[in-house]
Amino acid sequence: MTSKLLAELQAEYQQKNNEQPKQQPRIATPNIHPQSSKSASLIDELLEEVKSDFEELDQAEKLRIQQELEQKRIRQEQIKAQRTEALKQHAQDWLAKLDSLSPEGLWFERFAERYSSKLEAAIDYLQANEES
């Protein structure tokens, strides 16, 4: 009989446990909306700051590239001027050595008629001969 009573009590106890909803501890939930908007505005400010930093870096990179291109252009102009000067000096030396009565000298006289100066003609002639 005791075991029967014990079984009844156990069944009754289990039935009460199943009927009662489990109480969960109450957790104080903070009001998320004001905090959420503050967080969102802080995140927006950070994003704007990062975006601004990247834009500044992009501008600095573009400026650096532009300066490099300008320096390269200036250097190429200097090289071209040096080559032109060297070619001009070579043409002057060539003209000084040219015998105007030789077949080459007579040919050059006719060739140079199309140019504003003999130096210009010599430069053009020597440049064409260097390329071929």
Side-chain angles (χ1 to χ4, degrees):
M1 185 134 149
T2 6
S3 63
K4 187 178 179 185
L5 218 95
L6 186 60
E8 283 179 18
L9 279 173
Q10 192 175 15
E12 194 176 315
Y13 175 76
Q14 284 177 349
Q15 187 180 9
K16 283 184 182 178
N17 270 347
N18 288 338
E19 287 176 1
Q20 291 180 350
K22 292 184 180 178
Q23 291 185 351
Q24 295 180 343
R26 291 182 78 96
I27 299 174
T29 55
N31 191 352
I32 295 174
H33 298 293
Q35 285 293 330
S36 174
S37 65
K38 274 186 182 179
S39 295
S41 81
L42 285 176
I43 290 172
D44 288 344
E45 286 178 30
L46 282 173
L47 288 175
E48 281 299 317
E49 201 173 307
V50 169
K51 181 181 174 185
S52 175
D53 288 347
F54 274 108
E55 287 172 351
E56 286 178 24
L57 288 173
D58 283 346
Q59 289 297 327
E61 181 67 12
K62 286 178 184 177
L63 181 61
R64 185 188 64 78
I65 290 170
Q66 186 178 10
Q67 288 172 340
E68 284 179 4
L69 289 173
E70 182 64 18
Q71 289 173 352
K72 185 177 180 179
R73 184 189 64 77
I74 290 170
R75 180 70 183 135
Q76 287 173 341
E77 285 179 5
Q78 289 172 340
I79 290 170
K80 184 179 177 182
Q82 288 172 345
R83 285 182 182 159
T84 302
E85 189 58 37
L87 191 56
K88 182 179 176 182
Q89 185 61 47
H90 180 60
Q92 287 172 339
D93 293 343
W94 184 81
L95 282 172
K97 293 176 185 175
L98 181 65
D99 179 6
S100 59
L101 298 176
S102 71
E104 186 179 29
L106 294 172
W107 173 87
F108 182 74
E109 286 294 324
R110 301 235 26 217
F111 175 78
E113 290 174 358
R114 296 182 285 152
Y115 291 87
S116 60
S117 72
K118 285 186 179 185
L119 181 60
E120 186 181 330
I123 289 171
D124 195 26
Y125 172 66
L126 293 173
Q127 204 170 14
N129 284 339
E130 284 180 2
E131 292 172 2
S132 51

